């Protein structure tokens, strides 16, 4: 086959991008743009059939796809170097390979997610690419001017902790989850939010992901709007899987006061830049960790003031509250106390003993979903969780 024999030997190089590239910053360093082998082969195929003009447009399209794939590969290299196991895929999916007139994808090229978190992130990358097309950033920035004022999420937690002597509660408005299925059939987000607030919750976490949690941004808007008529004050955490800075602006435009960044998903530089964007928007940034390596990474990122320790392993769903204790022991705990970083214990909290255990470990706030959202009266559920009425 002529094409293959005459292929230029495409130089292979590993460019360590100076900056990460998932929607917050551009790639720097020698991001050479050269047609890869497949687009060279494709151009030669086109030559036999069409004139030069269609070769250029065909090559252009392939170039963009290959470029996106190459940039994605760099992102994965940077992430892997930081111990991040979640791989990222360009929204268009893995590249096609071309051999002569054939194009194909390799089955074993890791084109299937290894766990639910990776599946959620691949879905999110595709979903957000679509949403960005429909609502470009310049248009989103205009929406921000109409957004409701930002409320002090961390301040509300600190005030609640001072008032009750117990960790401030971030009560989660969650209908379903991959690990537990549907938690509450008759799910009225505003009703649940009101019950949480009257039960003494300092803040609310509202699931925005539709596919895996049956959540929505509309729920968050409805709760925010209800706040106006019913004088609800709780600041709102947009519980979403952030993969692109565009989502931060979008969450703010829908009334969010805080967003969540997951260290198991985002490289350090993405977290660094996304925190800067949140600060500009006066939003709080909850940076979530699950193990020592993620905690050490996050403690090394400038600007981190608010850390969540998830007791749930988001890849295996295993829940272990001793994880919170483990990550707050020794030097890590000292650094956190010295910097006055507020820590949230997340997941698997059902009883006053659970609350006492993570508080003893050093958290000043807790994020709780299942144990209160499935109660027929979530307000009572809050009192049962803490062993007393924390609304007073
Ligand atoms: O809960 C899941 O199944 C899940 C799966 C994959 C990614 C995230 C997931 N949950 C998010 C959370 O961590 C919880 O919603 C939150 O911490 C509250 O946990 P819980 O009180 O146990 O409902």
């Amino acid at each position: 086959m002529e094409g293959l024999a005459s292929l230029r030997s495409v130089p292979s190089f590993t460019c360590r991008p100076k900056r990460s590239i998932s929607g917050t910053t551009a790639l720097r360093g020698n991001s050479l743009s050269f047609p890869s082998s497949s687009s060279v082969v494709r151009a030669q195929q086109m030559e036999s059939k069409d004139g030069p003009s269609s070769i250029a447009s065909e090559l252009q399209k392939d170039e963009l796809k290959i470029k996106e794939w190459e940039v994605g590969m760099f992102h994965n290299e940077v992430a892997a170097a930081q111990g991040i196991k979640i791989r990222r895929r360009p929204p268009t999916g893995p590249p096609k390979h071309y051999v002569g007139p054939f194009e194909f994808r390799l089955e074993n090229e890791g084109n299937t997610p290894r766990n639910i978190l990776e599946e959620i992130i691949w879905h999110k990358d595709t979903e957000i690419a679509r949403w960005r097309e429909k609502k470009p950033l310049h248009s989103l920035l205009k929406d921000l001017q109409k957004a409701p004022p930002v409320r002090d999420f961390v301040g509300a937690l600190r005030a609640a902790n001072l008032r009750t002597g117990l960790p401030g509660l971030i009560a989660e408005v969650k209908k379903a989850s991959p690990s537990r299925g549907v938690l509450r059939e008759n799910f009225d987000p505003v009703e649940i939010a009101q019950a949480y607030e009257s039960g003494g919750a300092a803040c609310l976490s509202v699931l925005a992901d539709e596919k895996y949690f049956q959540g929505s941004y509309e729920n968050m808007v409805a709760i925010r709007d209800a706040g106006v008529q019913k004088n609800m004050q709780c600041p709102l955490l947009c519980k979403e899987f952030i993969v692109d800075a565009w989502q931060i602006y979008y969450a703010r435009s829908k009334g969010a006061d805080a967003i969540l960044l997951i260290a198991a998903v985002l490289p350090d530089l993405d977290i660094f830049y996304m925190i800067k964007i949140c600060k500009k928007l006066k939003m709080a940034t909850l940076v979530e960790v699950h193990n020592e390596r993620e905690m050490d990474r996050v403690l090394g990122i400038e600007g981190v003031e608010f850390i969540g320790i998830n007791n749930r392993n988001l890849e295996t769903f295993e829940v272990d509250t001793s994880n919170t204790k483990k990550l707050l022991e020794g030097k890590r705990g000292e650094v956190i106390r010295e910097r006055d970083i507020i820590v949230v214990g997340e997941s698997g909290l059902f009883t006053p003993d659970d609350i006492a255990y993570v508080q003893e470990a050093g958290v000043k706030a807790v994020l709780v979903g299942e144990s209160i959202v499935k109660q027929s009266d979530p307000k009572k559920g809050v009192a049962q969780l803490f062993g007393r009425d924390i609304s007073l």
Side-chain angles (χ1 to χ4, degrees):
M1 186 177 307
E2 181 54 31
L4 279 180
S6 66
L7 254 187
R8 277 187 296 119
S9 63
V10 170
S12 66
F13 70 103
T14 46
C15 156
R16 292 262 175 258
K18 295 252 182 334
R19 295 159 178 250
S20 177
I21 35 80
S22 63
T24 49
T25 59
L27 184 70
R28 188 195 280 183
N30 50 339
S31 57
L32 301 176
S33 113
F34 59 86
S36 73
S37 56
S38 51
S39 45
V40 170
V41 170
R42 194 141 175 81
Q44 285 164 338
Q45 281 174 328
M46 297 306 294
E47 210 152 344
S48 56
K49 282 191 294 178
D50 306 285
S53 58
S54 64
I55 292 175
S57 62
E58 201 53 30
L59 191 55
Q60 190 83 37
K61 269 193 286 181
D62 276 349
E63 277 285 286
L64 286 175
K65 277 191 202 147
I66 293 296
K67 177 55 112 188
E68 183 186 72
W69 175 250
E70 285 162 352
V71 163
M73 286 305 287
F74 297 142
H75 185 287
N76 284 335
E77 275 185 22
V78 169
Q82 294 173 12
I84 295 172
K85 292 183 283 180
I86 298 296
R87 300 160 299 166
R88 300 290 290 275
R89 280 279 180 274
T92 50
K96 290 180 182 145
H97 297 274
Y98 302 102
V99 175
F102 304 105
E103 74 173 30
F104 60 93
R105 279 200 177 108
L106 296 174
E107 268 319 299
N108 62 354
E109 199 173 33
N111 298 335
T112 47
R114 286 184 289 217
N115 54 59
I116 186 64
L117 184 57
E118 193 166 76
E119 181 183 330
I120 292 173
I121 297 305
W122 289 9
H123 164 71
K124 212 43 79 177
D125 272 325
T126 305
E127 182 180 64
I128 300 309
R130 270 202 318 275
W131 289 10
R132 282 185 65 150
E133 285 282 310
K134 280 194 220 134
K135 173 61 89 173
L137 194 55
H138 63 82
S139 147
L140 200 43
L141 293 175
K142 287 200 193 98
D143 292 354
L144 284 186
Q145 289 153 25
K146 296 171 283 194
V150 186
R151 296 182 289 202
D152 183 354
F153 194 92
V154 171
L157 291 173
R158 289 187 190 278
N161 180 232
L162 280 174
R163 178 171 56 82
T164 66
L166 291 163
L169 171 61
I170 305 170
E172 189 153 83
V173 183
K174 170 169 72 169
K175 175 168 183 173
S177 72
S179 61
R180 309 289 292 161
V182 174
L183 296 165
R184 186 185 184 95
E185 283 297 347
N186 66 321
F187 183 83
D188 177 332
V190 174
E191 203 177 84
I192 293 166
Q194 284 177 299
Y196 282 163
E197 180 151 344
S198 61
C203 296
L204 301 177
S205 165
V206 184
L207 264 295
D209 177 75
E210 219 153 316
K211 179 175 174 140
Y212 297 94
F213 291 83
Q214 299 190 36
S216 72
Y217 282 91
E218 287 70 29
N219 289 348
M220 191 167 68
V221 172
I223 291 168
R224 190 66 197 249
D225 290 350
V228 178
Q229 292 105 29
K230 299 174 169 53
N231 192 28
M232 284 161 59
Q233 302 297 319
C234 282
L236 304 181
L237 166 68
C238 175
K239 194 73 177 307
E240 171 62 304
F241 296 84
I242 303 288
V243 294
D244 187 307
W246 180 94
Q247 292 171 275
I248 301 172
Y249 295 100
Y250 187 70
R252 178 75 289 268
S253 76
K254 298 294 179 184
D257 305 295
I259 54 111
L260 175 78
L261 301 179
I262 301 176
V265 173
L266 296 168
D268 296 359
L269 219 48
D270 283 10
I271 294 174
F272 172 72
Y273 278 107
M274 289 177 177
I275 288 175
K276 277 184 172 293
I277 292 170
C278 287
K279 284 193 183 329
K280 272 234 179 304
L281 298 174
K282 297 187 174 36
M283 295 170 81
T285 318
L286 177 59
V287 184
E288 180 177 290
V289 301
H290 175 72
N291 56 43
E292 287 102 332
R293 183 163 189 189
E294 290 172 3
M295 178 63 96
D296 294 344
R297 279 179 45 210
V298 164
L299 287 174
I301 299 172
E302 187 190 323
V304 171
E305 298 166 344
F306 188 25
I307 294 176
I309 297 176
N310 204 330
N311 296 312
R312 176 175 285 110
N313 181 319
L314 302 188
E315 295 172 20
T316 64
F317 296 160
E318 188 199 344
V319 178
D320 178 358
T321 51
S322 69
N323 196 45
T324 297
K325 186 171 186 309
K326 187 170 61 174
L327 296 192
L328 289 176
E329 282 172 336
K331 188 70 185 149
R332 294 184 185 99
E334 275 172 45
V335 168
I336 283 169
R337 285 187 294 276
E338 277 158 21
R339 295 187 195 170
D340 192 25
I341 290 174
I342 185 163
V343 176
V344 185
E346 304 173 5
S347 300
L349 301 174
F350 289 82
T351 67
D353 284 351
D354 293 337
I355 299 296
Y357 179 78
V358 294
Q359 183 171 20
E360 181 59 30
V363 308
K364 294 278 186 267
V366 288
L367 193 156
V368 181
E370 180 182 351
S371 67
I372 50 179
V373 77
K374 67 183 188 184
Q375 300 298 325
S376 51
D377 179 353
K379 176 177 179 178
K380 283 202 185 111
V382 171
Q384 284 160 2
L385 173 68
F386 285 89
R388 68 176 173 86
D389 182 346
I390 62 166
S391 65
L392 307 171

